[in-house]
């Protein structure tokens, strides 16, 4: 049972890492509908993603990515993902493979958005959208 769980954890970490890499790629390509599709990927498990905000997600995430790149792109192919249980999974963006052990010479990519940055952006955009909708719905009552 422990081996099965460990294998499952590895598969889930790889799916999440591949999903985050796909989100980063979609943001670079600049097509809001594609970015929305990968934001909704079950393997990444982002909350509060709604279709009405697709273009704003795209623009806000692209702006965040631009800031990271302008700060300095170290061109590293490695990213580190901290999982819900506190464990760390290392993922190679070229090979799309990863593991639990820190790779020799590991340097975190400075240009890739991580899951937490993506979630924070999505949550912020969705919250603004929901507030605006609530205000417009209740405007006649004021």
């Amino acid at each position: 049972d422990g081996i099965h769980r460990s294998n499952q954890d590895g598969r889930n970490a790889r799916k999440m890492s591949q999903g985050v890499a796909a989100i980063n790629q979609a943001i670079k390509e600049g097509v809001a509908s594609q970015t929305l599709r990968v934001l909704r990927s079950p393997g990444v498990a982002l909350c509060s993603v709604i279709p009405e905000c697709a273009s704003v997600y795209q623009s806000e995430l692209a702006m965040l990515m631009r800031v990271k790149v302008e700060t300095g792109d170290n061109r590293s192919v490695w990213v580190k993902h901290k999982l819900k249980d506190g464990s760390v999974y290392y993922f190679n963006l070229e090979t799309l493979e990863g593991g639990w052990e820190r790779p020799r010479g590991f340097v975190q990519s400075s240009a890739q958005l991580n899951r937490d940055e993506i979630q924070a952006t999505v949550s912020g955009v969705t919250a603004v959208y929901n507030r605006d909708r609530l205000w417009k719905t209740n405007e006649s009552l004021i």
Side-chain angles (χ1 to χ4, degrees):
D1 189 49
I3 293 173
H4 173 72
R5 180 169 164 73
S6 178
N7 288 339
Q8 186 64 40
D9 288 348
R11 282 191 295 273
N12 290 342
R14 186 175 307 109
K15 281 183 187 177
M16 188 272 299
S17 298
Q18 289 170 336
V20 170
I23 291 168
N24 276 274
Q25 184 59 40
I27 294 166
K28 289 177 192 171
E29 291 172 8
V31 179
S33 60
Q34 175 67 11
T35 300
L36 177 65
R37 188 182 70 73
V38 292
L39 286 171
R40 298 175 99 184
S41 167
V44 182
L46 295 171
C47 300
S48 304
V49 178
I50 58 173
E52 295 85 351
C53 293
S55 62
V56 183
Y57 296 147
Q58 174 64 44
S59 63
E60 292 293 314
L61 290 166
M63 183 172 56
L64 180 57
M65 185 176 277
R66 261 190 314 279
V67 167
K68 288 187 86 160
V69 169
E70 288 169 3
T71 301
D73 183 357
N74 62 11
R75 305 225 183 262
S76 175
V77 298
W78 287 101
V79 291
K80 174 174 71 172
H81 295 287
K82 190 166 186 177
L83 306 178
K84 291 178 188 176
D85 66 1
S87 61
V88 174
Y89 187 79
Y90 298 92
F91 186 72
N92 186 298
L93 297 165
E94 284 184 349
T95 65
L96 301 181
E97 293 295 324
W100 303 107
E101 291 185 31
R102 183 182 179 100
R104 172 177 262 149
F106 172 81
V107 175
Q108 171 75 23
S109 170
S110 60
Q112 290 282 306
L113 301 180
N114 65 42
R115 186 190 178 284
D116 291 340
E117 291 169 322
I118 295 166
Q119 181 63 73
T121 301
V122 165
S123 295
V125 168
T126 303
V128 168
Y129 174 81
N130 287 337
R131 270 193 307 276
D132 287 349
R133 271 189 54 211
L134 184 61
W135 175 260
K136 287 176 184 169
T137 301
N138 293 307
E139 200 170 25
S140 64
L141 301 173
I142 299 175

